[in-house]
Amino acid sequence: MKRGLFFILSFALSVAIATAETIPFNGLICDMDGLGIKTQITIKGSEKRTISGKDGKFGFTNLKADDVIEIRYKKSRIEVALEGRKSAKIVLTDDYKLHAVTDEQSLVDAGNDYVTRRELPTKGGVLTAEMIEREGFSNLADALRAKATSLVIDGAGNVTIRGVNSIGNHANALIICDGMEIGSINAININDVASVEIQRDGTLYGFKGVGGVIAIKTKSGSKR
């Protein structure tokens, strides 16, 4: 009886360990012709999210073997169970449904390349051109307020992220556009916005980032 109980407990423990194991993940989303799809991707039940590039490539770190990828494209929401995969080529049909999911060794061999280019911070938020177009916002301040209630934006275009520790009078978030510091979000044409990333942790930028960072990428900037 004791031997049988020991076996059951050992098996349950091994299952728990396997479920908790985290794996790196590289992915590719494309259409039936093999053309990459740029879209928003999240991990179901978590704050992890990213955006695939024009080539359809994206990456995540520290995913569980039983995680589920959620792809939001056009008006469709597609779920793909990870099932322990370290990579996946995800093919969508012309009507935005899942056609096939296959393992790709070339994606595994890419290491963390896709991750470092694509994965966004877990504590924050991201605003995409697709969201702006869908909701019909006329200015970036309104779009950001709708995306993140933690933001306070004054008339001059200064942004404060509530809940972020700041020092002295340096409470405003650092605003970066295409890698360059700017003074106000009012200087940005909302129709030129490709994405806006809200980073609560701005330590990468030193003292200037103590109030967090608003990182903007523009459509025109990506063409340079």
Side-chain angles (χ1 to χ4, degrees):
M1 180 68 179
K2 290 183 179 179
R3 185 177 297 176
L5 180 60
F6 176 79
F7 175 81
I8 293 172
L9 290 174
S10 298
F11 177 78
L13 180 61
S14 65
V15 171
I17 293 173
T19 302
E21 182 183 3
T22 59
I23 59 174
F25 184 89
N26 285 324
L28 171 65
I29 303 177
C30 63
D31 60 19
M32 300 284 284
D33 295 323
L35 298 176
I37 294 175
K38 183 176 181 178
T39 188
Q40 183 181 2
I41 305 148
T42 60
I43 300 302
K44 189 174 182 179
S46 80
E47 293 184 348
K48 278 184 171 287
R49 71 228 181 279
T50 189
I51 300 172
S52 57
K54 292 180 180 179
D55 53 7
K57 296 175 181 177
F58 67 95
F60 282 104
T61 57
N62 297 327
L63 295 190
K64 300 183 184 69
D66 58 352
D67 272 335
V68 176
I69 293 173
E70 286 187 326
I71 302 168
R72 299 186 182 186
Y73 186 61
K74 302 297 184 181
K75 295 183 178 180
S76 297
R77 180 178 296 184
I78 302 150
E79 294 189 359
V80 177
L82 197 57
E83 296 179 344
R85 290 187 180 91
K86 293 184 178 181
S87 70
K89 179 180 179 181
I90 302 168
V91 183
L92 305 184
T93 63
D94 293 338
D95 55 351
Y96 319 126
K97 294 181 181 179
L98 183 63
H99 172 70
V101 181
T102 59
D103 295 331
E104 290 284 326
Q105 185 59 44
S106 62
L107 299 180
V108 176
D109 294 341
N112 288 326
D113 287 351
Y114 301 170
V115 175
T116 54
R117 286 188 298 136
R118 299 296 171 193
E119 188 170 6
L120 304 176
T122 57
K123 293 185 178 180
V126 64
L127 179 70
T128 65
E130 289 80 4
M131 296 177 188
I132 292 171
E133 183 179 356
R134 183 171 64 244
E135 300 298 331
F137 293 109
S138 59
N139 62 76
L140 187 53
D142 287 344
L144 285 172
R145 289 190 189 101
K147 172 60 183 175
T149 57
S150 63
L151 297 185
V152 178
I153 305 173
D154 64 21
N158 298 311
V159 182
T160 303
I161 306 176
R162 283 196 293 257
V164 174
N165 294 328
S166 58
I167 302 173
N169 296 323
H170 298 274
N172 290 341
L174 177 65
I175 304 173
I176 301 292
C177 181
D178 295 330
M180 299 184 64
E181 181 180 348
I182 62 172
S184 168
I185 62 169
N186 293 344
I188 303 299
N189 178 358
I190 192 170
N191 296 316
D192 191 33
V193 172
S195 67
V196 182
E197 184 182 327
I198 304 164
Q199 301 177 8
R200 293 180 177 275
D201 182 2
T203 54
L204 181 64
Y205 297 89
F207 184 74
K208 289 184 176 181
V210 295
V213 177
I214 305 298
I216 303 167
K217 292 182 180 180
T218 64
K219 298 172 184 176
S220 56
S222 64
K223 295 177 182 178
R224 294 170 191 165

